[in-house]
């Protein structure tokens, strides 16, 4: 297992909901828990992954995610079972769509 | 226009809960944000899940208050670890206190999570005791099986300790799984690769025909919901007479079918004219057949 922590500038609104969960921890899959958090406008990400040595890839995938979704005061927590970057981005987008959805 | 079918089989545990309960009625206990995760998996270098693979909470179904647990089959095969088991046990103990109209258990599991061996085994005993306590308090416990893992190991024993079992054709119910039987008894005895054989032995249709499950439904969220509603508020007797009647049924069954080598032999002896056709029947046709058999018996 490898534990990674990242920190990014917040760029947009606070999320509509308290939290959202996307995905299931399995081989080649992951779960993304996204939560509103009081981070002084910044965004944070915590990753626990079963595959070691991909810290730089995680940093880039998460930077891309926060750049595409303008959000602030958000914490992303990930339990990863060895998902590819494309699957990671998909689950992040699913979680972001849900936490931004004020109607649900 | 054909309305898209909402598959129970394909849904995650959370989608199953959402699909079965009244809209926005679900309130989760010990949800993912609480991060009550397995204390054992990190020591083995394995990833945890924020809900330890089971969703528990309360809600309503057609306005009737129920407690519900849904195992996530995608996380470690729905297997029961220490936290996972404690969440189900706690839900059933709560049922004995607050007396909802039913507890609904959506099981999708291979049984004990072997990585947490002793804690998982203890959890099985605790879940079974709590299920019987809920039943003793007059709360019916309803099991629904229709996921990828079926219902195996200790959880199959739990399922048969409950009031009612509903399953789709995709569902399977057995203590040992196909691979375990093949490993222990040899491939000549049981070929785990033979899917048709697996379903003739452990599949929901066979279990329905020999009286171990109470309703067979199509793989559809609405069908599961209707079948669950039919059992809400209907506890079965839990007393010595009921236990002795069950033992008598099992003795009669053994006497009647002991020499059958295959599910088809059992079905033929039950009076089904074309046993080979049973696996291909859809849920409606199959239930028509069950109705005809039960009508013929009385």
């Amino acid at each position: 297992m490898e534990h990674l922590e990242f920190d990014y500038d917040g760029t947009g609104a606070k999320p509509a909901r308290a939290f959202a969960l996307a995905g299931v921890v399995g081989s080649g899959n992951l779960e993304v828990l996204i939560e509103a958090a009081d981070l002084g406008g910044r965004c944070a990400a915590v990753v626990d992954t079963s595959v070691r040595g991909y810290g730089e890839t995680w940093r880039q995938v998460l930077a891309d995610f926060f750049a595409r979704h303008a959000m602030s005061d958000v914490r992303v927590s990930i339990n990863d079972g060895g998902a590819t970057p494309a699957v990671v981005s998909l689950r992040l987008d699913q979680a972001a769509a849900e936490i931004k959805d004020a109607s649900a | 226009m054909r309305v898209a079918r909402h598959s129970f089989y394909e849904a995650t545990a959370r989608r199953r809960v959402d699909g079965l309960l009244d809209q926005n009625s679900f309130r989760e206990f010990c949800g993912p944000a609480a991060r009550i995760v397995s204390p054992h998996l990190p020591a083995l270098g394995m990833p945890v899940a924020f809900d330890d693979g089971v969703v528990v909470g309360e809600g309503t179904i057609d306005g009737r208050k129920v407690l519900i647990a849904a195992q996530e089959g995608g996380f470690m095969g729905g297997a029961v670890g220490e936290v996972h088991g404690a969440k189900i046990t706690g839900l059933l103990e709560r049922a004995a206190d607050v007396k909802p109209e039913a507890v609904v258990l959506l099981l999708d599991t291979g049984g004990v999570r072997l990585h947490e061996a002793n804690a998982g085994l203890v959890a099985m005993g605790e879940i079974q005791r709590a299920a019987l306590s809920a039943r003793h308090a007059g709360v019916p416990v309803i099991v629904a099986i229709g996921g990828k893992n079926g219902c195996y190991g200790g959880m199959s024993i739990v399922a048969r300790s409950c009031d009612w079992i509903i399953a789709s054709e995709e569902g399977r119910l057995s203590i040992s799984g196909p691979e375990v039987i093949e490993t222990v008894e040899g491939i000549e005895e049981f070929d785990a690769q033979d899917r048709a054989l697996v379903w003739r032995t452990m599949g929901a249709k066979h279990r329905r025909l020999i009286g171990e499950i109470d309703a067979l439904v199509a793989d559809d969220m609405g069908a599961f919901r209707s079948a669950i509603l039919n059992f809400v508020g209907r506890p079965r007797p839990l007393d010595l007479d009921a236990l002795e009647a069950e033992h008598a049924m099992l003795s009669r069954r053994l006497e009647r079918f002991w020499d059958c080598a295959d599910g088809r032999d059992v079905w033929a002896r039950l009076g089904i004219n074309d046993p080979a056709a049973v696996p291909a029947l859809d849920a409606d046709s199959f239930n028509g057949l069950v109705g005809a058999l039960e009508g013929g018996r009385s």
Side-chain angles (χ1 to χ4, degrees), chain A residues 1 19 21 24-27 31-33 35 48-50 75-81 98 103-104, chain B residues 12 14-15 24 28 31-35 37 42 45-51 72-76:
Chain A
M1 294 295 296
F19 77 93
L21 185 73
V24 170
V25 184
S27 181
E31 69 176 348
V32 173
L33 177 64
E35 299 165 288
D48 284 284
T49 174
S50 59
R75 178 183 290 115
V76 168
S77 305
I78 290 173
N79 288 320
D80 173 55
E98 199 175 320
S103 66
Chain B
T12 62
R14 288 175 187 280
R15 297 279 177 231
N24 296 329
E28 186 169 359
R35 293 175 168 75
V37 301
M46 301 187 74
V48 299
F50 290 123
D51 56 14
E72 174 50 65
F75 178 64
M76 308 200 79

Side-chain angles (χ1 to χ4, degrees), chain B residues 168-187:
Chain B
S168 63
E169 186 185 350
E170 288 76 3
R172 285 149 293 145
L173 175 67
S174 182
I175 294 182
S176 297
E179 285 82 4
V180 175
I181 299 175
E182 184 185 302
T183 302
V184 175
E185 299 291 335
I187 197 166

